[in-house]
Amino acid sequence: MTAKLIKGTEIREEILEEITQEVKEIKAKHGVVPGLVTILVGANPASISYVTLKIQTAHRVGFNEVQDNQSPDISEADLLALIDKYNKDDSINGILVQLPLPKHIDEKKVLNAIDPDKDVDGFHPVNVGRLMIGGSEVKFPPCTPFGIQEMIVRAGVETSGAEVVVVGRSNIVGKPIANMMVQKGPGANSTVTIVHTRTKDLASHCKRADILIVAAGVPDLVKPEWIKPGACVIDVGVNRVGEKVSEKTGKKIAILKGDVDFEAAKEIAGYITPVPGGVGPMTITMLMLNTLKSLKFKLGLM
Ligand code: GUN
């Protein structure tokens, strides 16, 4: 193995510790802690496990955490009214509506109803616009791209002037991370290319990348020969390719694979994120950071 592993599990611990300390300081000085509400509609098993982890993490860093579980039959109007209630609630700094929502609810309408200054997911068009403008305009970068940028910076990878190639053009990962890396400022100043399913020669673009960010959702899409020796490879893919019995618990668990052929890629890359334990743990971590930032904006500390 030549590549240095960038472990999200370790960086998560560092950041959560920093957040915990800052929450204590703000509480001592200002008498308040960040408030986060998680709204879960229905009982989708994956959503329950994500929300449970978000709640546990919020408690761990000392936030005031409000769980609001709603029936899958809630009407769109009632859900919008609920969001309005939290928009007006002074003790709440972050509102998170877990996606996906049931079919009878218009997801876009719901996300657009969240006060942009409490939109810690960074999905509201106002926050997408703020991210596009960059600099001091940015409030809440979406959590996964925010986590990716933080991993690159904390690993000590030079971004200024670097060729960044982003594989995938989703609104949640591909488009925002490309936008973030091209901005002026630390952890950015890169030359960015986005490639996608209609790109003519995926390999030729990937081969140029000093930093290759892959969020395509296709297991082993990126072949080792597409990787520039010494490059930083960030694998956002979490693909379930089968099941196995856990040695620890004896229960069936999913076998996860990234979008990059890790075993071969780690012999060529300079830095690489594993799957699992790479980008995954960063998303919830950055949700906590955005919620803390929301309170700091309100208190005039940022
Ligand atoms: N469902 C899957 N990922 C996410 C996320 O990052 N935020 C929200 N709100 N829902 C999700």
Side-chain angles (χ1 to χ4, degrees):
M1 165 127 180
T2 59
K4 181 177 181 291
L5 267 189
I6 309 178
K7 292 184 185 166
T9 44
E10 284 179 6
I11 299 173
R12 169 183 61 194
E13 295 308 306
E14 283 173 28
I15 296 174
L16 292 181
E17 200 41 52
E18 291 162 14
I19 294 172
T20 307
Q21 285 311 319
E22 217 174 331
V23 168
K24 280 184 192 157
E25 284 165 26
I26 290 174
K27 191 176 178 183
K29 266 195 200 152
H30 300 273
V32 283
V33 297
L36 173 68
V37 59
T38 49
I39 301 174
L40 173 66
V41 180
N44 175 319
S47 292
I48 290 174
S49 78
Y50 282 133
V51 164
T52 305
L53 206 52
K54 287 171 187 177
I55 293 165
Q56 284 169 353
T57 311
H59 282 154
R60 172 179 162 185
V61 295
F63 289 1
N64 171 30
E65 212 289 327
V66 178
Q67 296 168 51
D68 195 326
N69 293 352
Q70 294 290 329
S71 139
D73 305 323
I74 187 173
S75 69
E76 187 179 279
D78 284 350
L79 184 57
L80 293 173
L82 190 68
I83 289 168
D84 190 48
K85 183 186 91 167
Y86 289 118
N87 280 343
K88 291 175 177 147
D89 184 338
D90 240 14
S91 70
I92 295 297
N93 306 104
I95 301 172
L96 182 127
V97 179
Q98 187 63 32
L99 304 176
L101 289 169
K103 293 271 181 290
H104 68 279
I105 297 175
D106 181 347
E107 224 161 71
K108 209 158 109 183
K109 234 187 205 173
V110 170
L111 295 180
N112 291 1
I114 298 172
D115 178 347
D117 291 343
K118 296 189 179 188
D119 168 41
V120 287
D121 254 332
F123 293 162
H124 192 288
V126 165
N127 284 317
V128 177
R130 286 168 169 166
L131 193 78
M132 185 80 180
I133 295 167
S136 60
E137 202 69 34
V138 179
K139 284 209 155 176
F140 307 117
C143 301
T144 303
F146 194 10
I148 292 170
Q149 190 180 39
E150 197 63 29
M151 295 177 97
I152 295 170
V153 169
R154 289 191 187 228
V157 174
E158 179 61 80
T159 59
S160 184
E163 289 280 345
V164 171
V165 175
V166 178
V167 184
R169 53 178 161 178
S170 70
N171 288 330
I172 291 181
V173 184
K175 283 194 266 186
I177 190 62
N179 184 45
M180 289 162 79
M181 298 307 291
V182 82
Q183 298 289 353
K184 269 189 190 161
N189 284 325
S190 307
T191 303
V192 180
T193 306
I194 305 181
V195 298
H196 48 76
T197 44
R198 300 293 174 95
T199 297
K200 282 184 184 147
D201 184 359
L202 216 53
S204 72
H205 291 286
C206 293
K207 282 177 187 174
R208 281 190 295 107
D210 300 310
I211 301 174
L212 181 61
I213 301 170
V214 193
V218 180
D220 290 347
L221 172 73
V222 172
K223 312 296 174 227
E225 60 273 21
W226 297 9
I227 295 168
K228 183 172 167 179
C232 171
V233 178
I234 306 288
D235 190 350
V236 192
V238 184
N239 305 293
R240 287 164 199 268
V241 294
E243 279 187 337
K244 63 178 179 186
V245 176
S246 163
E247 283 175 22
K248 268 193 208 159
T249 62
K251 285 185 185 162
K252 267 192 190 170
I253 53 167
I255 301 171
L256 300 178
K257 230 179 190 315
D259 290 351
V260 177
D261 178 353
F262 177 83
E263 285 308 316
K266 73 184 197 315
E267 304 302 332
I268 301 161
Y271 298 82
I272 193 164
T273 59
V275 177
V279 175
M282 296 299 292
T283 302
I284 291 178
T285 305
M286 303 321 270
L287 176 73
M288 300 302 136
L289 193 55
N290 272 346
T291 307
L292 171 62
K293 282 172 68 183
S294 180
L295 176 62
K296 286 169 73 180
F297 284 128
K298 192 176 152 202
L299 296 172
L301 302 174
M302 283 190 89

